[in-house]
Coordinates of all heavy atoms in Angstrom, one line a residue:
M28 N 90.4 74.4 88.7 CA 89.9 75.4 89.7 C 88.6 75.9 89.3 O 88.3 76.3 88.1 CB 91.0 76.5 89.7 CG 90.7 77.7 90.6 SD 90.7 77.2 92.4 CE 90.2 78.7 93.0
D29 N 87.6 75.8 90.2 CA 86.2 76.2 89.9 C 86.1 77.7 89.8 O 86.5 78.4 90.7 CB 85.5 75.6 91.1 CG 83.9 75.7 90.9 OD1 83.5 76.5 90.0 OD2 83.2 74.8 91.4
R30 N 85.5 78.2 88.7 CA 85.3 79.5 88.5 C 84.4 80.2 89.6 O 84.5 81.3 90.0 CB 84.5 79.7 87.2 CG 85.5 79.8 86.0 CD 85.9 81.3 85.9 NE 87.4 81.3 85.4 CZ 88.2 82.3 85.7 NH1 87.9 83.4 86.3 NH2 89.5 82.3 85.2
K31 N 83.4 79.4 90.0 CA 82.5 79.9 91.1 C 83.2 80.1 92.4 O 83.0 81.1 93.1 CB 81.3 79.0 91.3 CG 80.3 79.1 90.1 CD 79.0 78.4 90.6 CE 78.1 78.0 89.4 NZ 78.4 76.6 88.9
L32 N 84.1 79.2 92.6 CA 84.9 79.3 93.8 C 85.9 80.4 93.8 O 85.9 81.3 94.8 CB 85.7 78.0 94.1 CG 86.6 77.9 95.3 CD1 85.7 78.0 96.6 CD2 87.4 76.6 95.3
L33 N 86.3 80.7 92.6 CA 87.2 81.9 92.5 C 86.5 83.2 92.8 O 87.0 84.1 93.2 CB 87.8 81.9 91.0 CG 88.9 83.0 90.8 CD1 90.0 82.9 91.7 CD2 89.4 82.8 89.3
D34 N 85.2 83.2 92.3 CA 84.4 84.4 92.5 C 84.1 84.8 93.9 O 84.0 86.0 94.3 CB 83.0 84.2 91.8 CG 83.1 84.4 90.3 OD1 84.1 85.0 89.8 OD2 82.2 84.0 89.7
I35 N 84.1 83.8 94.8 CA 83.8 84.1 96.2 C 85.1 84.3 97.1 O 85.0 84.8 98.2 CB 82.9 83.0 96.9 CG1 83.5 81.6 96.7 CG2 81.5 83.1 96.2 CD1 82.9 80.6 97.7
L36 N 86.2 83.9 96.4 CA 87.5 84.0 97.2 C 87.9 85.4 97.1 O 88.0 86.1 96.1 CB 88.5 83.1 96.6 CG 88.4 81.6 96.9 CD1 89.4 80.8 96.1 CD2 88.6 81.4 98.4
V37 N 88.3 85.9 98.3 CA 89.0 87.3 98.4 C 90.2 87.2 99.2 O 90.4 86.1 99.9 CB 88.0 88.3 99.0 CG1 86.8 88.6 98.1 CG2 87.6 87.9 100.4
C38 N 91.0 88.2 99.1 CA 92.3 88.2 99.9 C 91.9 88.3 101.3 O 91.1 89.2 101.7 CB 93.1 89.5 99.4 SG 94.5 89.7 100.4
P39 N 92.6 87.5 102.2 CA 92.4 87.6 103.6 C 92.8 88.9 104.3 O 92.4 89.2 105.4 CB 93.1 86.4 104.1 CG 94.1 86.0 103.2 CD 93.6 86.4 101.9
L40 N 93.7 89.6 103.6 CA 94.2 90.8 104.1 C 93.5 92.0 103.7 O 93.0 92.8 104.6 CB 95.7 91.0 103.6 CG 96.7 89.8 104.0 CD1 98.1 90.1 103.4 CD2 96.8 89.7 105.5
C41 N 93.3 92.2 102.5 CA 92.7 93.4 102.0 C 91.3 93.2 101.5 O 90.7 94.2 101.0 CB 93.5 94.1 100.9 SG 93.7 93.2 99.4
K42 N 90.9 91.9 101.3 CA 89.5 91.5 100.9 C 89.1 92.0 99.5 O 88.0 92.0 99.0 CB 88.4 92.3 101.8 CG 88.6 92.1 103.3 CD 88.4 90.8 103.7 CE 88.6 90.6 105.3 NZ 89.1 89.4 105.7
S43 N 90.2 92.2 98.7 CA 89.9 92.4 97.3 C 90.0 91.1 96.5 O 90.4 90.1 97.0 CB 91.0 93.4 96.7 OG 92.3 92.9 96.7
K44 N 89.5 91.2 95.3 CA 89.3 90.0 94.5 C 90.7 89.4 94.0 O 91.7 90.2 94.0 CB 88.6 90.2 93.2 CG 87.0 90.4 93.5 CD 86.2 90.2 92.3 CE 85.7 88.7 92.2 NZ 85.1 88.4 90.9
L45 N 90.8 88.2 93.8 CA 92.0 87.5 93.5 C 92.1 87.1 92.0 O 91.0 87.0 91.4 CB 92.3 86.3 94.3 CG 92.2 86.5 95.8 CD1 92.1 85.3 96.6 CD2 93.6 87.1 96.2
T46 N 93.3 87.1 91.5 CA 93.4 86.6 90.2 C 94.0 85.3 90.1 O 95.0 85.0 90.9 CB 94.5 87.6 89.4 OG1 94.0 89.0 89.5 CG2 94.6 87.2 87.9
Y47 N 93.5 84.3 89.3 CA 94.0 83.0 89.2 C 95.1 82.9 88.3 O 94.8 83.2 87.0 CB 92.8 82.1 89.0 CG 93.2 80.6 88.8 CD1 94.1 80.0 89.6 CD2 92.7 79.8 87.8 CE1 94.5 78.7 89.5 CE2 93.0 78.5 87.7 CZ 93.9 77.9 88.5 OH 94.3 76.6 88.4
D48 N 96.2 82.5 88.7 CA 97.4 82.3 87.7 C 97.4 80.7 87.5 O 97.8 79.9 88.2 CB 98.6 82.7 88.4 CG 99.8 82.5 87.5 OD1 99.8 81.8 86.5 OD2 100.9 83.2 87.7
K49 N 96.9 80.4 86.3 CA 96.7 79.0 86.0 C 98.1 78.2 85.9 O 98.2 77.1 86.3 CB 95.9 78.9 84.6 CG 95.2 77.6 84.4 CD 94.6 77.4 83.0 CE 93.2 78.1 83.0 NZ 92.6 78.0 81.7
K50 N 99.0 78.9 85.3 CA 100.3 78.3 85.0 C 101.0 78.0 86.4 O 101.6 77.0 86.5 CB 101.2 79.4 84.2 CG 102.1 78.6 83.2 CD 102.5 79.6 82.1 CE 103.7 80.5 82.7 NZ 104.1 81.6 81.9
A51 N 101.0 79.0 87.3 CA 101.7 78.8 88.6 C 100.8 78.0 89.5 O 101.3 77.5 90.5 CB 102.1 80.1 89.1
G52 N 99.5 78.0 89.2 CA 98.6 77.4 90.2 C 98.5 78.0 91.5 O 98.5 77.5 92.6
E53 N 98.4 79.4 91.4 CA 98.3 80.3 92.5 C 97.2 81.4 92.4 O 96.9 81.7 91.2 CB 99.7 81.0 92.7 CG 100.9 80.1 93.1 CD 102.1 80.9 93.1 OE1 102.4 81.9 92.2 OE2 103.0 80.6 93.9
L54 N 96.8 81.8 93.5 CA 95.8 82.9 93.5 C 96.6 84.2 93.9 O 97.3 84.3 94.9 CB 94.7 82.7 94.5 CG 93.8 81.6 94.0 CD1 92.9 81.1 95.2 CD2 92.9 82.0 92.9
I55 N 96.5 85.2 93.0 CA 97.3 86.4 93.2 C 96.4 87.6 93.8 O 95.4 87.8 93.3 CB 97.9 86.9 91.9 CG1 98.5 85.7 91.1 CG2 98.8 88.0 92.0 CD1 99.8 85.2 91.7
C56 N 96.9 88.3 94.8 CA 96.3 89.5 95.2 C 97.3 90.6 94.6 O 98.5 90.7 95.0 CB 96.3 89.6 96.7 SG 95.8 91.3 97.3
K57 N 96.7 91.4 93.7 CA 97.5 92.4 93.1 C 97.9 93.6 94.1 O 98.9 94.1 93.9 CB 96.6 93.0 91.9 CG 96.5 92.0 90.7 CD 95.7 92.7 89.7 CE 95.0 91.6 88.8 NZ 94.2 92.2 87.8
A58 N 97.0 93.8 95.0 CA 97.1 95.0 95.9 C 98.3 94.6 96.9 O 99.1 95.5 97.1 CB 95.9 95.2 96.7
D59 N 98.3 93.4 97.4 CA 99.4 93.1 98.3 C 100.6 92.4 97.6 O 101.6 92.1 98.3 CB 98.8 92.1 99.4 CG 97.8 92.8 100.2 OD1 98.0 93.8 100.7 OD2 96.7 92.1 100.4
R60 N 100.5 92.1 96.4 CA 101.4 91.4 95.7 C 101.8 90.0 96.4 O 103.0 89.9 96.6 CB 102.6 92.2 95.4 CG 102.4 93.4 94.5 CD 103.6 94.1 94.0 NE 104.5 93.3 93.2 CZ 104.4 93.0 91.9 NH1 103.2 93.5 91.3 NH2 105.1 92.2 91.3
L61 N 100.7 89.3 96.7 CA 100.9 88.1 97.3 C 100.3 86.9 96.5 O 99.4 87.2 95.8 CB 100.3 88.0 98.7 CG 100.9 88.8 99.9 CD1 100.1 88.7 101.1 CD2 102.3 88.2 100.2
A62 N 101.0 85.8 96.5 CA 100.4 84.6 95.8 C 100.2 83.5 96.7 O 101.0 83.0 97.5 CB 101.5 84.1 94.8
F63 N 98.8 83.2 96.7 CA 98.4 82.1 97.6 C 98.3 80.8 96.9 O 97.9 80.6 95.7 CB 96.9 82.4 98.1 CG 96.9 83.7 98.9 CD1 96.6 84.9 98.3 CD2 97.2 83.7 100.3 CE1 96.6 86.0 99.1 CE2 97.1 84.8 101.1 CZ 96.8 86.0 100.4
P64 N 99.0 79.7 97.5 CA 99.1 78.5 96.8 C 97.8 77.7 96.8 O 96.9 78.0 97.6 CB 100.1 77.6 97.7 CG 100.0 78.2 99.1 CD 99.6 79.7 98.9
I65 N 97.7 76.9 95.8 CA 96.5 75.9 95.7 C 97.0 74.5 95.8 O 97.9 74.1 95.1 CB 95.7 76.1 94.3 CG1 95.3 77.5 94.2 CG2 94.6 75.1 94.3 CD1 94.7 77.9 92.8
R66 N 96.6 73.9 96.9 CA 97.0 72.5 97.2 C 95.9 71.5 97.0 O 94.9 71.6 97.7 CB 97.6 72.4 98.6 CG 98.8 73.4 98.7 CD 99.7 72.9 99.9 NE 100.8 73.9 99.9 CZ 101.0 74.8 101.0 NH1 100.3 74.6 102.1 NH2 101.9 75.7 101.1
D67 N 96.2 70.5 96.1 CA 95.1 69.5 95.8 C 93.8 70.2 95.6 O 92.7 69.7 96.0 CB 94.9 68.6 97.1 CG 96.2 67.8 97.5 OD1 97.0 67.5 96.5 OD2 96.5 67.7 98.6
G68 N 93.7 71.2 94.8 CA 92.6 71.9 94.3 C 92.0 72.8 95.4 O 90.9 73.4 95.2
I69 N 92.7 73.0 96.6 CA 92.1 73.7 97.6 C 92.9 74.9 97.9 O 94.1 74.8 98.1 CB 92.0 72.9 98.9 CG1 91.0 71.8 98.7 CG2 91.4 73.8 100.1 CD1 91.1 70.6 99.7
P70 N 92.4 76.1 97.7 CA 93.2 77.4 97.9 C 93.5 77.6 99.3 O 92.7 77.4 100.3 CB 92.2 78.5 97.5 CG 91.1 77.9 96.8 CD 91.1 76.4 97.3
V71 N 94.8 77.8 99.6 CA 95.3 78.0 100.9 C 95.3 79.5 101.2 O 96.3 80.2 100.9 CB 96.7 77.5 101.1 CG1 97.1 77.5 102.6 CG2 96.6 75.9 100.8
M72 N 94.3 80.0 101.8 CA 94.2 81.4 102.1 C 94.8 81.9 103.4 O 94.1 82.5 104.3 CB 92.7 81.8 102.0 CG 92.0 81.4 100.7 SD 93.0 81.9 99.2 CE 92.9 83.6 99.3
L73 N 96.0 81.6 103.5 CA 96.7 82.0 104.8 C 97.9 82.8 104.4 O 98.7 82.5 103.5 CB 97.2 80.8 105.5 CG 96.2 79.7 106.0 CD1 96.8 78.5 106.5 CD2 95.4 80.3 107.1
E74 N 98.0 83.9 105.2 CA 99.1 85.0 104.9 C 100.5 84.3 105.1 O 101.4 84.5 104.3 CB 98.9 86.1 105.9 CG 99.9 87.3 105.5 CD 99.8 88.3 106.6 OE1 99.0 88.3 107.6 OE2 100.6 89.3 106.5
E75 N 100.6 83.3 106.1 CA 101.8 82.6 106.3 C 102.2 81.8 105.2 O 103.4 81.5 105.0 CB 101.7 81.7 107.6 CG 101.1 82.4 108.8 CD 99.6 82.3 108.8 OE1 99.1 81.3 109.3 OE2 99.0 83.2 108.4
E76 N 101.3 81.3 104.4 CA 101.6 80.4 103.3 C 101.8 81.1 102.0 O 102.1 80.5 101.0 CB 100.3 79.4 103.2 CG 100.1 78.4 104.3 CD 101.2 77.4 104.6 OE1 101.8 76.9 103.5 OE2 101.5 77.1 105.7
A77 N 101.4 82.3 102.0 CA 101.5 83.1 100.8 C 102.9 83.4 100.5 O 103.8 83.6 101.3 CB 100.6 84.3 100.8
R78 N 103.2 83.6 99.2 CA 104.4 84.0 98.7 C 104.4 85.4 98.2 O 103.5 85.8 97.6 CB 104.7 83.0 97.4 CG 106.0 83.2 96.7 CD 106.1 82.0 95.7 NE 105.2 82.3 94.5 CZ 105.5 83.0 93.5 NH1 106.7 83.7 93.5 NH2 104.7 83.3 92.5
S79 N 105.5 86.2 98.5 CA 105.5 87.5 98.0 C 106.0 87.5 96.6 O 107.0 86.8 96.2 CB 106.5 88.3 98.9 OG 105.9 88.7 100.1
L80 N 105.3 88.3 95.7 CA 105.8 88.4 94.4 C 106.9 89.3 94.2 O 107.0 90.4 94.9 CB 104.6 89.0 93.5 CG 103.4 88.1 93.4 CD1 102.3 88.9 92.6 CD2 103.6 86.8 92.8
S81 N 107.9 88.9 93.4 CA 109.1 89.7 93.3 C 108.7 90.9 92.3 O 107.8 90.8 91.6 CB 110.2 88.9 92.7 OG 109.8 88.3 91.5
P82 N 109.4 92.0 92.4 CA 109.1 93.1 91.5 C 109.1 92.8 90.0 O 108.4 93.4 89.3 CB 110.3 94.1 91.8 CG 110.8 93.7 93.2 CD 110.6 92.2 93.2
E83 N 109.9 91.7 89.6 CA 109.9 91.3 88.2 C 108.7 90.7 87.7 O 108.4 90.6 86.6 CB 111.2 90.5 87.8 CG 112.5 91.0 88.3 CD 112.7 90.5 89.7 OE1 113.0 89.3 90.0 OE2 112.8 91.4 90.6
E84 N 107.9 90.1 88.7 CA 106.8 89.3 88.3 C 105.6 90.3 87.9 O 105.2 91.1 88.7 CB 106.4 88.4 89.5 CG 107.2 87.1 89.5 CD 106.8 86.2 90.6 OE1 107.3 86.3 91.8 OE2 106.0 85.4 90.4
E85 N 105.2 89.9 86.7 CA 104.2 90.6 86.1 C 102.8 90.3 86.6 O 102.5 89.1 86.6 CB 104.2 90.5 84.5 CG 103.9 91.7 83.8 CD 104.3 93.0 84.4 OE1 105.4 93.4 84.5 OE2 103.3 93.7 84.7
V86 N 102.1 91.2 87.1 CA 100.7 90.9 87.6 C 99.7 91.6 86.6 O 99.7 92.8 86.6 CB 100.4 91.3 89.0 CG1 99.1 90.8 89.4 CG2 101.5 90.8 89.9
E87 N 99.1 90.8 85.8 CA 98.3 91.4 84.7 C 97.0 92.1 85.3 O 96.5 91.8 86.3 CB 97.9 90.3 83.7 CG 96.7 89.6 84.1 CD 96.6 88.2 84.0 OE1 97.5 87.5 84.1 OE2 95.4 87.7 83.7
Ligands
ZN107 ZN1 95.3 91.6 99.4

C-alpha cells in the first residue's frame, strides 16, 4: 500500500484521515468505526463495502 496514496485518502463519510491496518489489509475510519477493504491493492472507498468494527476491535 502506497504511503502517498494513504495520505490523500479520506473517509467518504466524515472526510477524516484513515488508518491503514496492514494485518487486516483494511483502511480504518476511527470516527465512524468502519473498515474499508483493499482489493488488489486498490482501496474500496464505498460505504456499502465497508465493514463495521465490533466494539472489541481495538483502533489505535
Ligand atoms: Zn469516517
Side-chain angles (χ1 to χ4, degrees):
M28 179 71 187
D29 195 332
R30 272 275 145 207
K31 283 194 200 96
L32 185 59
L33 186 57
D34 281 344
I35 57 162
L36 282 173
V37 294
C38 173
L40 301 174
C41 66
K42 313 288 182 209
S43 63
K44 285 199 97 188
L45 300 164
T46 303
Y47 176 41
D48 185 337
K49 204 184 275 177
K50 218 166 74 191
E53 292 174 324
L54 289 165
I55 312 290
C56 173
K57 293 178 199 174
D59 295 313
R60 295 191 61 81
L61 287 174
F63 297 92
I65 299 169
R66 296 201 186 115
D67 300 322
I69 299 160
V71 183
M72 304 313 297
L73 297 170
E74 191 186 351
E75 311 86 88
E76 299 287 328
R78 180 175 73 81
S79 287
L80 296 176
S81 59
E83 309 87 68
E84 277 183 272
E85 215 32 72
V86 188
E87 86 222 38

